[in-house]
Structure formats: structure tokens, C-alpha cells
Amino acid sequence: MAFWGKNKNKETNPESREERKKTGIIKRLWQKVRNIDWKDPVTRWKLMFISLITLIVVGAGGYGAIALTNSPAFCSSCHEMAPEYSTFTASAHNNITCVQCHIKPGAINMLTHKMKSMKEVYYHVTGVPKQIVQTEDEAVSDENCLQCHSKNRLVTPSGDLKVNHKGHLEEGVPCISCHAGVVHAKMAARGINTDEVRGEYTKEKAEKIMEKKYLSPNMGSCIDCHDKVNKGEKPWKDVAYLVPPNPEEMEKKLEENTKKVSDKTELTEPAANQSEEAGIAEHYEQTQKLILQAIGKQQKNVKISMACETCHKSTAIPKNHQTANWNNNHGGTAVVKLDQCMECHQDSKWKRDIPKEDIVSILKLGNEKKKYTPNYALAKEESRINKFCSACHTDRPDSHVDSDQWLTAHAGKAKTADQKVQCFVCHDQEKPKSDSTHAKAPTDVYCQYCHRTGFKNDVKTN
């Protein structure tokens, strides 16, 4: 401890080499500290000087480490973050840092997050997860969004939606319930950021992934949430409702469920299949009810309306929909402008869950909109499998009156080729095929069941 001055007791209390060996290094240091004259003003000045230098070094080092780990460049240094980083650079938020969204404002939150992030270093060294997903305790908070965005905003980028942002926030609905894909295009939910495709990502390739339907709020999310509110629920209270499911946790649950099923009798499997079929049927029926409500055919006991004009301004009722008898005469328009019809009436628009995708196919095909060529077979198939179309197509048309009367009177309604085409939307000409490659008609009644000799000037249905 020469810095503190010569030990005055050294001559009076000499230590032999053997005695120093017996005393541990920690004990010897402690003895020297105890021997320091803390009442000496020079000693206290030296202590303050060393403390100040230490504080500066530690502070500067800590600030430098935090600044380094806060930069997007640091995030990109790990190969497993390639999908997230490349989509970030291709997004409208590429002028801010990752932490401005992923860490709540405040020094305490910053330090706490850095401590928690040590597990990411552990995963990086020992084994990266198959898929990077946002965990429930790390969901982007409203505090982060409101650093830049106002909750009093009255307009949306599309110019069509009319959303009461303030009302949603005051009700406790988080921003990410609608805007989860604004930066990373919902990669985790789409399943396109797994370990086997991380090498495929660059900024240029990420631009092909940033499709508008994944960046903008998903209509299915709005519908699902509004439907639950009408049932008295507040689904956003559960954070798991807001973040994509962790695939590894899902695998564990699947293994546990499989084990439970295998431990039971063989009769459990048919019961499970029946339960699954019942669940699908219930979901289908619920979707149909929502669609009927949206087109104004079902408005009972509704707190939040599902009608289009509730959330949309310009697309409430398109001009061509306002023509006389549109419900019965829209088939021709559907064939010619099917791509425009699907902008609103596509099944995926009504679903909250996003289907899994193949990254190779996306990169190969890109997100360029292909020009649609009028295709009757495609329009007919869509009318049969699309839930919005089938909401009405599964009902018996008013023109068909009673079956016994219609059976002998329908010939006059199917004289021309155009009239026959309308029939073939719901009916097949030949006996329907049982394989899964053909869309099932709303009815199993087909023409050749009675007209076995065929027709004059047959109209091809595909």
C-alpha cells in the first residue's frame, strides 16, 4: 500500500516469511486496509480521487456497453437475428433503434432488460432456438408506441379505416393487438423465421416478405376481438392473446397431450376426432353468423356492430353493389372482377390466425400482384369454399319456391348459356366427385341425375 504511505508499524511489528505464508492474501489486504490512517486528510483525498476515477471508468464503460448493445448493428451480429434485422431495415421504422420498441422507457427498465438478456447470450452459445418468438413478458408496450405516436390520431395511413385509437387505449386494448406486424410482418406467426431459413434473409429479400396484408391491421383480429367483447370478454387481458405462440412450448404440450391420449383406451381417439370435427363445425357456424351480421342480416344483441361501415368509410357499400337486385345478379361481376371481390371477401380476411408459409416460395414468387384473367371455374370454386359466399349460397334461393313446383318449372330458367352458368354455381352437371381436389357444391343435387341423356349445347363448367 505504498500509495497510502509507509507503514509506521513495520519496524516494530516485523512479519517473518513463514508467518506471511500462513496468512491468506485476503486477510493480509484487510489488515493493510485496517492499518490505513483514515483520519489523515491526505488519505481521504486519495480515496476520493480513486473513487472518482473508478466511477468515471465504470460509468463510461457501462454507458459504452449499453450504447453498443442498443444499436441495431449489434442485433445483426448474431446470425439468428437475420430475419428480424432484415425486415426491420425494410420497414417504415428503420430510422429508430430496436430498443425504442422492445424496451420500456426508463433507466431501470433498460438495466433490467440487459440483465434478462444474458439468457440470450447463453442461448447463442449453447444452442439457438429453432424459432425466435416474442415472449409474453417482452411484448411491445403502449409506452413505447406513444413515444412517437399520438393516441388522439383521427386518421389512418389507408385513409379508409376509422378507428377510435383513444377509445381503444382507454379501454386497455394494447397497440400490438392491431399493429403487431408493422415492423417484422408477423414472421413468427407465418413460420418463416425458423433456423433452416435464416441464411435466406437480406434486405432485398425481406422486401418481398413485407406484404401489406401482414403490415396492416388484420381484419380477422378486429372481428375476433369485437365478437369476444359482444360475449362479455376482454381477450387482450391475456398477453398470450397478443403474441405469437412459442413453437417449442406448443411441441411440449402436443407431446403431453399425445402421451395422455396414448395412456387412455383406444376409444379415446374416435372421441377426440369427433371433438375436433365439432370444433370445426362450431367455428364455421360462428363465422357464418359474423358474416351475416356484417351484411346486415343479423343485428340482435350486439354491443359492437360487425357491419362494414363500423370500421370502414369508403368501402361500406361499393357503387356496383347499389344496383337493383345485386344479390341475385352479381355472378357475372364476380367472374370478371374476382380479384377485386377478394379484397374484402377473402376467407383469410375473416380469420385471426395466420396460415404457415414457405419462405422459398415467397422469395421465388415475390409479393407482386398478378393480373387476374376472368376465370369462371375459379369463381365457381370460390363461391363454394368461401365462407362469405356460402353464407348466402347455402340457402335455398327465393326463385326456387317449393321443390315439387320447381322440379317441373325450372327449365325455362336455364335456357341460355348464361342462365346455365348461374345454375352451375350451386349444382354440378355430372355426378360430384368424392375426392378432395374438387370443391364440394352447396347441394348434392346434380343435373344428370335426371337428365341422363345430357343437354343440347352443353355448357362446360370448368
Side-chain angles (χ1 to χ4, degrees), residues 297-348:
K297 289 191 175 184
Q298 194 177 76
Q299 293 285 349
K300 295 180 179 179
N301 300 322
V302 173
K303 182 179 179 181
I304 302 177
S305 173
M306 298 294 182
C308 303
E309 58 267 22
T310 303
C311 299
H312 295 276
K313 292 187 289 187
S314 62
T315 59
I317 304 178
K319 290 183 179 180
N320 60 0
H321 289 45
Q322 299 177 32
T323 57
N325 202 22
W326 169 254
N327 285 346
N328 296 323
N329 296 326
H330 63 273
T333 305
V335 174
V336 177
K337 300 180 179 180
L338 183 64
D339 56 332
Q340 295 181 27
C341 300
M342 292 301 101
E343 289 292 330
C344 292
H345 301 307
Q346 194 172 22
D347 269 356
S348 60

Side-chain angles (χ1 to χ4, degrees), residues 69-335:
T69 55
N70 280 354
S71 66
F74 178 80
C75 299
S76 67
S77 63
C78 295
H79 73 281
E80 61 266 27
M81 296 303 294
E84 285 72 19
Y85 178 73
S86 58
T87 49
F88 157 75
T89 57
S91 75
H93 284 63
N94 59 10
N95 59 337
I96 62 175
T97 61
C98 305
V99 298
Q100 284 180 266
C101 288
H102 290 286
I103 302 178
K104 287 184 179 181
I108 300 298
N109 292 325
M110 177 71 70
L111 294 174
T112 303
H113 185 274
K114 294 303 177 185
M115 296 300 293
K116 289 181 178 179
S117 296
M118 292 304 295
K119 69 177 184 295
E120 309 297 340
V121 179
Y122 171 79
Y123 291 143
H124 179 74
V125 175
T126 60
V128 179
K130 293 180 180 179
Q131 186 181 15
I132 304 296
V133 295
Q134 193 173 37
T135 58
E136 295 180 17
D137 60 337
E138 295 177 345
V140 177
S141 70
D142 293 345
E143 295 176 62
N144 297 91
C145 302
L146 293 175
Q147 291 178 107
C148 301
H149 302 282
S150 170
K151 66 180 180 181
N152 297 316
R153 62 188 305 177
L154 300 175
V155 296
T156 56
S158 67
D160 170 49
L161 286 174
K162 47 180 181 181
V163 179
N164 182 1
H165 287 81
K166 185 177 181 180
H168 280 72
L169 288 170
E170 289 178 349
E171 191 65 32
V173 181
C175 301
I176 59 170
S177 58
C178 296
H179 300 286
V182 69
V183 176
H184 301 297
K186 300 181 181 177
M187 289 188 305
R190 296 160 69 186
I192 55 175
N193 66 332
T194 53
D195 54 353
E196 61 266 16
V197 299
R198 285 169 183 151
E200 299 284 346
Y201 276 87
T202 61
K203 180 181 178 181
E204 291 71 22
K205 291 181 178 179
E207 289 175 350
K208 295 182 179 181
I209 296 164
M210 308 294 280
E211 298 181 60
K212 183 182 178 180
K213 63 181 178 181
Y214 296 120
L215 299 175
S216 304
N218 177 18
M219 192 172 85
S221 297
C222 303
I223 291 169
D224 183 76
C225 189
H226 286 192
D227 181 47
K228 285 181 167 59
V229 170
N230 286 335
K231 294 176 181 177
E233 302 175 25
K234 292 186 177 182
W236 60 85
K237 295 290 185 180
D238 182 6
V239 185
Y241 183 81
L242 307 174
V243 298
N246 189 317
E248 294 185 359
E249 291 181 2
M250 290 180 67
E251 285 180 9
K252 290 180 181 178
K253 289 181 180 179
L254 182 61
E255 290 176 1
E256 291 175 0
N257 292 335
T258 304
K259 187 177 180 181
K260 289 179 181 178
V261 171
S262 62
D263 291 340
K264 295 181 180 180
T265 62
E266 294 182 359
L267 294 175
T268 306
E269 187 174 351
N273 291 336
Q274 290 175 6
S275 177
E276 184 178 357
E277 290 175 2
I280 294 172
E282 183 181 355
H283 176 73
Y284 181 84
E285 182 181 357
Q286 178 62 22
T287 305
Q288 297 291 71
K289 287 181 180 178
L290 294 174
I291 291 170
L292 288 171
Q293 188 187 137
I295 59 180
K297 289 191 175 184
Q298 194 177 76
Q299 293 285 349
K300 295 180 179 179
N301 300 322
V302 173
K303 182 179 179 181
I304 302 177
S305 173
M306 298 294 182
C308 303
E309 58 267 22
T310 303
C311 299
H312 295 276
K313 292 187 289 187
S314 62
T315 59
I317 304 178
K319 290 183 179 180
N320 60 0
H321 289 45
Q322 299 177 32
T323 57
N325 202 22
W326 169 254
N327 285 346
N328 296 323
N329 296 326
H330 63 273
T333 305
V335 174

